[in-house]
């Protein structure tokens, strides 16, 4: 039976955290696998079979990472809603360059744009054909770092 089919409520992360805490090792591997595949699907433009994880690929370190992630996620990462936007004035004089993937489903482009508009010394670069992470964005960032050095 799928893990999610037992879920009833409005905090799926809290449910998964509770479930992973009290499950046997094989069930923990399934939950860690579910979360890894979900996160990959949000971050990558192309989700192929080579990216897809299976429970037998999961190690104890993956389970521990999943537990930590679920703990933070179920507690809204211990920050209030719109904390960054509410505190943007604290960094308004720092030159900042945003690289944002056009197809980022994790951090939406409207949120990044709102922050960019609040920071007069910021520059926002929308990277086409990228999601949350990607090769082109990493290369652009590396290039900028090299130019600073």
């Amino acid at each position: 039976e799928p893990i999610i089919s037992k879920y009833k409520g409005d905090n799926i992360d809290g449910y998964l955290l509770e479930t992973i805490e009290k499950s046997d090792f094989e069930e923990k591997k399934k939950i860690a696998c579910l979360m890894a595949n979900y996160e990959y699907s949000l971050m990558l433009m192309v989700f192929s079979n080579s990216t897809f994880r299976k429970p037998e690929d999961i190690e104890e370190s993956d389970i521990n990472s999943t537990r930590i992630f679920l703990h933070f996620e179920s507690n809204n990462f211990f920050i209030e809603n719109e904390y960054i936007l509410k505190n943007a004035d604290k960094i308004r004089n720092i030159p900042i360059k945003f690289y944002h993937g056009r197809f980022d489903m994790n951090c939406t482009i409207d949120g990044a744009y709102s922050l960019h508009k609040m920071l007069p010394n910021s520059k926002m670069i929308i990277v086409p054909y990228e999601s949350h992470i990607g090769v082109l964005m990493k290369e652009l960032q590396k290039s900028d770092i090299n130019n600073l050095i």
Side-chain angles (χ1 to χ4, degrees):
E1 181 178 4
I3 296 161
I4 300 298
S5 68
K6 300 172 195 168
Y7 170 68
K8 307 271 187 283
D10 61 357
N11 183 350
I12 187 69
D13 300 307
Y15 168 77
L16 290 173
L17 178 61
E18 182 181 313
T19 304
I20 203 169
E21 294 293 347
K22 62 184 180 184
S23 296
D24 64 25
F25 188 68
E26 291 306 310
E27 192 76 2
K28 288 178 186 199
K29 287 169 58 171
K30 289 177 187 175
I31 294 169
C33 182
L34 173 77
M35 289 306 298
N37 290 329
Y38 172 72
E39 286 296 311
Y40 286 142
S41 73
L42 289 177
M43 290 193 250
L44 302 174
M45 285 288 295
V46 179
F47 191 73
S48 66
N49 284 338
S50 64
T51 310
F52 188 74
R53 308 243 350 240
K54 298 176 184 77
E56 58 266 19
D57 301 332
I58 301 296
E59 298 176 1
E60 187 149 1
S61 62
D62 299 311
I63 294 168
N64 292 333
S65 294
T66 300
R67 289 174 61 217
I68 292 167
F69 175 79
L70 287 170
H71 177 68
F72 276 82
E73 176 87 8
S74 65
N75 288 287
N76 200 35
F77 296 91
F78 298 96
I79 61 172
E80 64 185 75
N81 283 338
E82 298 191 9
Y83 175 84
I84 295 171
L85 292 175
K86 290 176 185 173
N87 290 280
D89 62 308
K90 294 177 182 177
I91 59 171
R92 69 177 287 110
N93 296 320
I94 299 172
I96 296 173
K97 191 179 281 188
F98 292 92
Y99 291 99
H100 201 281
R102 167 66 183 89
F103 297 102
D104 189 337
M105 300 294 287
N106 224 10
C107 301
T108 60
I109 203 162
D110 60 331
Y113 185 73
S114 295
L115 183 58
H116 162 64
K117 293 314 275 176
M118 296 176 80
L119 301 172
N121 292 315
S122 70
K123 181 176 182 181
M124 183 171 178
I125 299 158
I126 299 171
V127 184
Y129 312 112
E130 290 281 23
S131 58
H132 193 67
I133 57 174
V135 175
L136 179 57
M137 261 196 301
K138 288 179 185 175
E139 289 302 314
L140 289 168
Q141 290 167 346
K142 193 184 322 179
S143 174
D144 272 353
I145 291 169
N146 286 334
N147 288 335
L148 288 173
I149 296 176

